Amino acid sequence: MALLEVDDVHVRFGGVVAVNGATFDVDEGTIMGLMGPNGAGKTTLFNVITGLQAPTSGTVRFDGKDLKKVHPRLRALGGIGRTFQRLEVFGSLTVADNIRVAAEMRGIENPARVRDELLDRVGLRAFAHVTADSVPTGIARLTELARALAVSPRLLLLDEPSSGLSEVETEDFAVLVRSLAEDDGRSVLIVEHDVELVLGLCSQIHVLDFGSIIASGTPDEIRKDKRVQDAYLGADEAAAAEIEEAV
Amino acid sequence: MSEHVNALDVIDLTAGYGRIQVLHGVSFSVPVGTIVALLGPNGAGKTTTLNCIAGLIDPMGGHVHIGGHHLNGAAPDRLARAGLCTIPEGRGIFPNLTVAENIDLFAFAAQASPKEIQERAFSQFPRLAERRTQLAGKLSGGEQQMLAMARALSSDPALLLLDELSMGLAPKIVEDLYEIVGEIGRSGVSVLVVEQFARRALAVAQLGIVMVQGRVTALGEPADIEGELSAAYLGGAA
Amino acid sequence: MSSFVSFTIIGIVLGSTYAIAASGLVLTYATSNVFNFAHGAVGMVMTFLYWELYVHQGWPVWFVLPFILLIVAPAFGLVMELLIMRRLTTANTTTQLGVTVGLMVALIGAGQLIWKPGGRRVDAFFNGSKVSFGVVNVTAQQFITLGLALAVALGLYVLLNRTRIGTAMRAVVDNRELLALHGARPNVLSGLAWALGSSLAALTGILLAPQLNFDHTTLTFLVVSAYAGAMVGRLKSLPLTFVGAIALGLLTEYGQWLYTELPTSWITDSEGVIYGLKNSLPTIFLLGVMLVLPQEKLRVGRVTGTKLPRIPSWRTTMLWSAALLGGSYLLTGAMGEANNARFGQTMCLPLIMLSLVLLVGYGGDVSLCQLSFVGVGALVVARGFDIPFTGLGFHSQISPLSIVTAFLLTAVVGAIVALPALRLRGLYIGLGTLAIAGAMDRSVFESGLVGFGAQGSTIQVTRPSWLSTERSFALAVVVAFVVTAWIILAIRRSKYGRILLATRDSQAACATLGFSTTMTRVAVFAMSAGLAGVAGVFFAGMSVTPGTLNFYFFQNLPLLLFAIVFGVTSVTGVLTGGFVYGCITSTFIVGQHPDLVGLAYIVVLVMLRLLVNNPNGLVGLLFDQSRRIMSRPDAVSAPPGSAAAREPYPATAGLGLEAPVGSA
């Protein structure tokens, strides 16, 4: 059984369809990627999974349990952690305290040790004593990641984690995420527009366009998929008709 | 002299948010009566460029000339009354006003009478006439974008800026919308369209500009920039 | 029966005036997102101007009315928009609250400077002539009020729904930028809204003037009733606002009617409770409306956190504490007993404000009922308390037991207040707590049964014998300040301080970490109330005869204002803010130079301009400056983005990516 099952989720805002029947699974200990152009519904889908947005229809199951009407806080207690595309760091705390306070909120033993371990693991030592609202975006993103890790989630949702990271930082980041899955056995669902990062990192990828999943597969399959190229570059007439049928 | 004047000249534009610089010296022109597509992946700085032109953010450096006039620092409403029509990303409509009220607001920038504007909008988009008393927020995504486009049609602008026309819309609707963009272009309006779906925009544009990470990396006719485009979007993988 | 009909008519007329005031509030809020606490104060100033020109100077009414309503008031609104409100549209709630309250206080100050309090009246229109309808008489004034309310309702409806300017006014709040892209001038539109709003405030004041005590504060605070009406329309809908205002007018008058119909013995037996309840109907109504408002959703994707002043080291704290205690010791030694009493009373205000640091500074909530908590603390010690079966108790006696009891009881009151307030955020929590303070005033403090009684206080508080002199008790207040400051700084340094700041910065992030912010907010409300209660004990001891007037609900507004202006995020901020406020109100100036109060308030307004860009207040500004001058190496952070400074990840396998990102 998959850890996370998203089944036929629809979300509408007024007359606008943001997610249109998304269906996919995330298995334990794997890195799953969600790609798609701007406005394809990726972040909305994340909000549905974490409970910040109620779906118009469809179900989300975590560890076999239906999450309908489960408060975001209880989902987090069940083991779903996330980072935000538009940052939600605790801006008036230092980077180190951002991590520590997360452990403290959950009553985890020895929060200072959790903080020290994660500062090293995520590579935030140099920024430990800087307040989070004055660090560069990339560092703030890593701070959110470390904060999420402080409460040991089973499933980690990363929303556009690489934007604001330099090339070197992105490489380091990829190594870290891989270690989260391989060494810790966590599942990671990653939304990213940096195609190269997703293709290099994930074992399984779903491509979202107009709120629907238009392609799924391994990085190699995705690379070769004509429809993915069309989704990113815009389809020619024939392909457009094809997608029309698929939708 | 006047025939050499471009509808828009952007010269060595730099801009950013706070300490993060997004544009590193962007230069290009939109000749009078042409449709120019500004393309590039997410985060390339396309929208920032557009917002600088529209007067929504102040550039850090460089110049913007519209119709030959130096217009750095002009307020967006002044630019709008001077004939610049900007349709921002994510549907340029007021969701809590009705369709008719939205159209009524077009008259602030247009020379035509309110009645004329409404007639033009409704004849171009009969669907909007049917829903004139509905709240604009209750329209479908395509209809909302039509309503936004109706402003461009009715106000007869000197320069039209379109940002991410296709965002979140089905292909068929995007196709229809681009047909209208083509029509607007043929009527003599200069258009700068920002788009991440490159091929759709290039189908109607006479010129394309590719931006990557705040810089222009290619500029030319659609056929000439195809190669650069693939590299910009898929990192050479395509 | 006839009395019921006449109360109905009076109620509708009263509701109509509320409606005019409330629609002005809604209009300005809807177009600029700024809730104007000074709305009533604008009306007050315009009403005084009306009195000045019409009654005092004897100008003809047909000239004075249009002159004020169509020229002076709108011009005043335009200037307000241009100088202040325009800058506030994107500011946070605390700043908005601080600035508009500051404007209100300054207007009251200016009003008192120009027109000395006392002895004014304005006659009703047409000298109060009446038309008789069988059993009831309707005055010309009432007819005119009704007619004007109808005209305002109709006029606003036509403006907003039938004209393009009106449509644009509704659009400007949705998306100011987009409206500018349409070619409309957003600043002109909000200027127009503020001009209209200001004119409506003036109209309300002028209509109400003949029926009221003609003084600065009564006119200013009538607007609380308008808040309630505006809240029914959720600060958006004008029709609902009118319905709410009329309902409130009727409720108020029916309350009055019921009161006159009740047996007199009930009223005397209740020792003011029933009378207080009747008078607090508008605030109870406001509170009720706040409680049925739909709960706010978690907001995602906003700028989070404001940088707070750095926590001082224990050593610094120690030094400053010693300096404060030593300085006070020397100062009180040099002054006489009368001045020592004034000094002690002044120092009570920083002590009270300390409780705001926790709630407002760290927690990001707003409380406009902090003085009520102080009052509860004072009440506990003044009326005494017996602990059942233990034989322990105290009556009007300051003792460790009374301090602990005051802390615990006020903390419980704070937690109870927090429960309804938790559903609210920002502006609404401000209005909600203000309503609570108003209700407490009239139904608790003024009552002789449980409170201080309406006519001054008769209860004397006794100090312990070793603190009987003014000097010794003033020093005790300073010690209490130091101890409370240490407690607050200890909280700030602890896990609870971190959690408090985290809760303030991002509720959404807290939720996704599995943390419930509800308990934190209740706890901080209770703790802050408890500390205010302890301050109340010292306040009672210092003033010896505490009374209702000390805790009058609207004094919460300048209290919070001074805390915000000087810096509610730091102990130093509230020490200076409280001291300055204390000097202005309680002692040095009021005693000798009452004229200076108004001037001082105006000076505060000038300082507010600085605040708009600095959430840490004047003291925060000083901190920043001094840090820039004496920047020490340990205060400087690592250079951002320096890859070399970062330690390597405990890397596992080789990099999984073939090519670096992007191909530029």
Side-chain angles (χ1 to χ4, degrees), chain C residues 306-344:
Chain C
T306 36
K307 200 180 233 153
L308 294 177
R310 274 179 359 137
I311 321 173
S313 67
W314 280 122
R315 216 180 62 118
T316 319
T317 315
M318 206 100 79
L319 281 173
W320 277 105
S321 307
L324 183 63
L325 287 170
S328 305
Y329 184 82
L330 293 176
L331 182 71
T332 49
M335 294 193 299
E337 279 293 85
N339 276 336
N340 280 341
R342 286 180 180 150
F343 174 71

Side-chain angles (χ1 to χ4, degrees), chain C residues 268-601:
Chain C
T268 34
D269 287 352
S270 78
E271 293 192 47
V273 171
I274 294 180
Y275 180 76
L277 271 178
K278 182 209 76 175
N279 282 348
S280 46
L281 276 176
T283 40
I284 292 172
F285 181 84
L286 173 59
L287 199 58
V289 174
M290 310 282 316
L291 292 185
V292 296
L293 276 181
Q295 196 159 10
E296 264 187 85
K297 272 192 184 170
L298 283 181
R299 277 188 305 177
V300 200
R302 70 210 159 82
V303 183
T304 58
T306 36
K307 200 180 233 153
L308 294 177
R310 274 179 359 137
I311 321 173
S313 67
W314 280 122
R315 216 180 62 118
T316 319
T317 315
M318 206 100 79
L319 281 173
W320 277 105
S321 307
L324 183 63
L325 287 170
S328 305
Y329 184 82
L330 293 176
L331 182 71
T332 49
M335 294 193 299
E337 279 293 85
N339 276 336
N340 280 341
R342 286 180 180 150
F343 174 71
Q345 276 165 23
T346 303
M347 282 309 292
C348 283
L349 281 146
L351 180 60
I352 293 168
M353 276 188 195
L354 269 182
S355 64
L356 288 172
V357 173
L358 213 51
L359 185 71
V360 183
Y362 299 164
D365 266 319
V366 171
S367 162
L368 286 175
C369 61
Q370 210 67 8
L371 271 183
S372 302
F373 297 142
V374 176
V376 170
L379 203 54
V380 167
V381 66
R383 296 201 66 111
F385 195 84
D386 282 315
I387 298 164
F389 314 117
T390 58
L392 287 173
F394 53 86
H395 288 276
S396 306
Q397 190 93 47
I398 304 234
S399 64
L401 182 63
S402 64
I403 292 175
V404 172
T405 315
F407 177 83
L408 292 176
L409 263 179
T410 341
V412 170
V413 174
I416 293 170
V417 167
L419 287 177
L422 277 177
R423 302 181 64 256
L424 311 167
R425 265 278 164 195
L427 168 67
Y428 295 104
I429 201 170
L431 285 171
T433 47
L434 187 66
I436 289 171
M440 290 277 280
D441 254 9
R442 283 159 178 155
S443 20
V444 180
F445 296 149
E446 283 183 10
S447 126
L449 198 65
V450 292
F452 302 103
Q455 270 79 44
S457 179
T458 48
I459 309 172
Q460 285 241 340
V461 177
T462 334
R463 300 174 189 164
S465 58
W466 55 283
L467 289 178
S468 60
T469 64
E470 301 289 0
R471 184 187 182 199
S472 58
F473 204 84
L475 286 176
V477 173
V478 178
V479 171
F481 176 86
V482 170
V483 171
T484 314
W486 278 66
I487 293 174
I488 283 171
L489 286 173
I491 293 175
R492 169 72 178 87
R493 268 176 249 257
S494 75
K495 145 182 169 184
Y496 302 103
R498 285 189 288 275
I499 290 180
L500 194 53
L501 292 183
T503 311
R504 178 190 78 160
D505 286 350
S506 173
Q507 289 205 65
C510 286
T512 54
L513 287 168
F515 184 74
S516 160
T517 55
T518 313
M519 275 315 294
T520 318
R521 289 183 71 199
V522 174
V524 73
F525 245 101
M527 182 72 195
S528 161
L531 291 179
V534 172
V537 173
F538 282 90
F539 181 84
M542 201 65 236
S543 69
V544 182
T545 50
T548 308
L549 274 181
N550 295 125
F551 315 110
Y552 191 43
F553 78 102
F554 85 73
Q555 288 181 8
N556 280 296
L557 293 169
L559 182 81
L560 182 67
L561 170 71
F562 274 80
I564 294 173
V565 166
F566 283 85
V568 73
T569 50
S570 65
V571 169
T572 321
V574 292
L575 176 61
T576 42
F579 193 80
V580 170
Y581 180 48
C583 285
I584 293 173
T585 55
S586 59
T587 56
F588 300 120
I589 295 173
V590 173
Q592 290 138 30
H593 308 285
D595 297 358
L596 290 180
V597 177
L599 193 65
Y601 283 168

Side-chain angles (χ1 to χ4, degrees), chain A residues 73 76 86 88-92 97 100 104-106 121-122 125-127 130-131 136 147 171-172 175 178 183 194, chain C residues 300-301 304 306-307 498 502 504-506 509-516 637-638 640-641 647 649 652 655-656 661:
Chain A
R73 187 169 63 81
R86 296 175 68 182
E88 291 273 345
V89 283
F90 300 136
S92 43
D97 278 349
R100 183 179 181 182
E104 284 169 341
M105 280 175 168
R106 288 279 286 271
R121 188 170 188 194
V122 184
R125 250 310 155 206
F127 291 92
V130 186
T131 44
R147 185 180 67 186
E171 284 172 36
D172 291 349
V175 175
R178 186 158 296 161
D183 302 341
D194 181 340
Chain C
V300 200
T304 58
T306 36
K307 200 180 233 153
R498 285 189 288 275
R504 178 190 78 160
D505 286 350
S506 173
C510 286
T512 54
L513 287 168
F515 184 74
S516 160
S637 57
E647 292 172 31
Y649 300 124
T652 47
L655 299 180
V661 188

Side-chain angles (χ1 to χ4, degrees), chain A residues 6 31 37 40 49 57 75 86 109 117 123 132 136 144 148 151 181 184 194 211 219 221 228 233:
Chain A
V6 173
I31 306 174
I49 297 169
S57 67
R75 298 185 194 208
R86 296 175 68 182
E109 248 173 76
E117 278 174 9
E144 277 202 356
V151 298
D184 306 4
D194 181 340
E221 289 165 358
V228 176
L233 292 175

Side-chain angles (χ1 to χ4, degrees), chain A residues 1 7 9 11 35 49 58 64 68 85 97 107 134 142 194 202:
Chain A
M1 185 183 60
D7 190 10
V9 164
V11 181
M35 288 174 27
I49 297 169
K68 194 175 180 183
Q85 182 187 7
D97 278 349
S134 46
L142 293 179
D194 181 340
C202 304

